[in-house]
Amino acid sequence: MGQKNQVFDNVLDLVGNTPLIKLRKVVKNLKGNYYAKVEAFNPGHSSKDRIALHIIEQAEKKGILKPGDTIIETTSGNTGFSIAMVSIIKGYECILAVSSKSSPDKIDMLKSMGAKVYVCPAHVSADDPRSYYEVAKRLHQEIKGSVYINQYFNELNINAHYASTGPEIWQQTEGKITHLVACSGTGGTISGTARYLKEQNPNIKVLGVDAYGSVLKKFHETKEFDENEIYPYRIEGLGKNLIPGATDFDVIDEFVKVTDQESAHTAREISKTEGIFVGYTSGAAMQAVKQLNEDEKFNEDDLIVVMFPDHGSRYMSKIYSDKWMNEQGFFDSENIEEAVGVQY
Ligand code: PMP
């Protein structure tokens, strides 16, 4: 990409154009050729930089935002961090309404990037005036000229990936991609990327990754919203308990569900074998690839692109903590060797 010797005006010039890196060891016994799209190379260390920048720049183009205005969102995760980063450079106030379930580390991280964080009680219903959804809505109404990003229901989330991630993968694989494997949370990444890729070649297969405890896979198959599918799970950023407006189910061929435990171990395996320090959902995507192999979904000549959405440093107190893994019961007889080092 020739970016390494360049000098940049500010960090936002580094959003997108992430590398595609060939996977070798973690795919050793699998059929096909695998490449990871490593989104941790974005300056905010995740794919969410793309949507934060795109949505804010679209609002600027429409004249909705001017310097000093306020941007509001309800997330303590990657999107919050990316919006805070874009806001610093562009001179906006950033307000994030987050749940009291968010870890103190995450809240401190957002504050470090200049965001004003409202911590709202977790144990109230979504329509309670104290919930983070309602607080965000109220602030949006009260603050003149504010923009509410609303990533789960914002079509621009899809457009961001249609305009950048899709074309990048098409060029990087010289049009040879046969399969895309991507986690679905808001659905923006998989929908926008798939929409672009299928326009280039309708034969490309798009495989979505969902969590046990989420409604997406069943909804895709039956068009039915089944509340019985919903129960707590640990992977953050993947799956959902509602149907996001930012998901285009028509461009996704199939969903695969993965477990918390296997995804955590696979993320650790990627870091240890490939030297790419990845987040929890990268492990989930790779776990889905393993399951798809068991189902004989790939051939030797296939070129499979797997999205790795964020960086491992955000999970030091979770999947990269042996103590946490042990507390979850994730070290069982199958991976007892890894547990040997646990001295807590
Ligand atoms: N992985 C992580 C770590 C995320 O934060 C998200 C976003 N919720 C995703 C995957 C899924 O991306 P998308 O929202 O574009 O479906």
Side-chain angles (χ1 to χ4, degrees):
M1 274 175 295
Q3 277 195 351
K4 284 199 175 147
N5 300 328
Q6 276 175 259
V7 175
F8 296 91
D9 209 31
N10 62 59
V11 284
L12 301 186
D13 287 348
L14 285 148
V15 173
N17 289 316
T18 53
L20 201 61
I21 303 180
K22 187 164 173 63
L23 298 173
R24 297 174 191 278
K25 301 216 173 104
V26 74
V27 297
K28 209 171 47 210
N29 301 317
L30 308 182
K31 261 192 188 169
N33 306 286
Y34 293 87
Y35 291 84
K37 181 78 168 154
V38 186
E39 291 292 289
F41 280 85
N42 280 296
H45 302 155
S46 87
S47 55
K48 294 299 181 179
D49 283 2
R50 297 177 188 268
I51 73 162
L53 187 60
H54 183 77
I55 295 174
I56 290 169
E57 289 192 334
Q58 290 301 311
E60 287 172 340
K61 270 190 199 149
K62 288 187 196 137
I64 300 169
L65 273 176
K66 45 184 194 321
D69 279 349
T70 300
I71 300 168
I72 300 169
E73 182 59 320
T74 50
T75 168
S76 62
N78 288 325
T79 307
F81 190 85
S82 297
I83 295 168
M85 183 186 78
V86 176
S87 299
I88 292 170
I89 303 298
K90 290 182 169 283
Y92 301 119
E93 291 288 325
C94 171
I95 297 181
L96 302 169
V98 309
S99 145
S100 55
K101 262 198 326 199
S102 311
S103 72
D105 268 7
K106 277 193 169 174
I107 293 168
D108 286 343
M109 201 162 84
L110 298 172
K111 286 186 181 163
S112 309
M113 291 300 274
K116 195 173 191 182
V117 183
Y118 285 70
V119 181
C120 308
H123 305 292
V124 296
S125 63
D127 55 5
D128 186 295
R130 294 165 297 168
S131 81
Y132 56 94
Y133 295 113
E134 288 300 318
V135 168
K137 267 200 255 168
R138 178 173 56 78
L139 290 169
H140 177 44
Q141 280 160 8
E142 283 173 8
I143 302 170
K144 226 177 119 225
S146 64
V147 166
Y148 180 19
I149 301 278
N150 202 7
Q151 61 170 339
Y152 280 93
F153 292 93
N154 194 335
E155 180 73 16
L156 292 174
N157 177 354
I158 298 184
N159 294 354
H161 291 284
Y162 178 86
S164 67
T165 321
E168 286 171 31
I169 292 174
W170 184 251
Q171 279 171 18
Q172 286 169 313
T173 62
E174 296 171 342
K176 296 193 183 101
I177 175 174
T178 58
H179 298 77
L180 174 73
V181 179
C183 292
S184 204
T186 65
T189 306
I190 191 165
S191 306
T193 309
R195 200 179 274 174
Y196 180 86
L197 291 173
K198 286 197 173 194
E199 276 175 17
Q200 313 311 307
N201 175 3
N203 296 325
I204 293 171
K205 288 273 170 289
V206 175
L207 306 154
V209 186
D210 190 20
Y212 285 101
S214 153
V215 295
L216 301 178
K217 179 175 163 66
K218 176 113 185 233
F219 181 78
H220 182 249
E221 286 163 7
T222 64
K223 291 281 166 275
E224 199 188 302
F225 179 82
D226 184 355
E227 277 195 12
N228 295 322
E229 292 286 298
I230 302 171
Y231 47 84
Y233 56 91
R234 297 180 187 84
I235 315 178
E236 294 159 58
L238 165 61
K240 204 58 199 169
N241 56 0
L242 51 78
I243 305 303
T247 307
D248 179 355
F249 285 89
D250 293 342
V251 293
I252 302 167
D253 291 285
E254 192 182 321
F255 273 101
V256 184
K257 282 205 180 201
V258 291
T259 67
D260 289 335
Q261 181 170 4
E262 288 175 311
S263 302
H265 282 291
T266 305
R268 290 164 66 109
E269 185 189 349
I270 296 167
S271 301
K272 280 192 177 142
T273 61
E274 302 287 345
I276 307 172
F277 194 35
V278 295
Y280 206 166
T281 53
S282 306
M286 205 57 225
Q287 177 56 32
V289 164
K290 290 183 184 185
Q291 292 169 205
L292 287 160
N293 260 272
E294 280 165 24
D295 294 343
E296 308 265 344
K297 292 281 179 188
F298 303 123
N299 295 316
E300 281 310 342
D301 295 336
D302 287 344
L303 194 166
I304 301 120
V305 172
V306 190
M307 294 298 302
F308 283 180
D310 73 350
H311 195 260
S313 57
R314 297 212 165 136
Y315 305 87
M316 289 313 298
S317 58
K318 297 217 165 152
I319 57 170
Y320 294 110
S321 155
D322 286 348
K323 181 170 181 278
W324 185 84
M325 290 287 284
N326 204 29
E327 282 165 3
Q328 312 310 310
F330 284 178
F331 289 133
D332 56 19
S333 55
E334 267 187 46
N335 25 61
I336 195 73
E337 274 173 34
E338 272 194 80
V340 170
V342 181
Q343 291 170 347
Y344 299 97

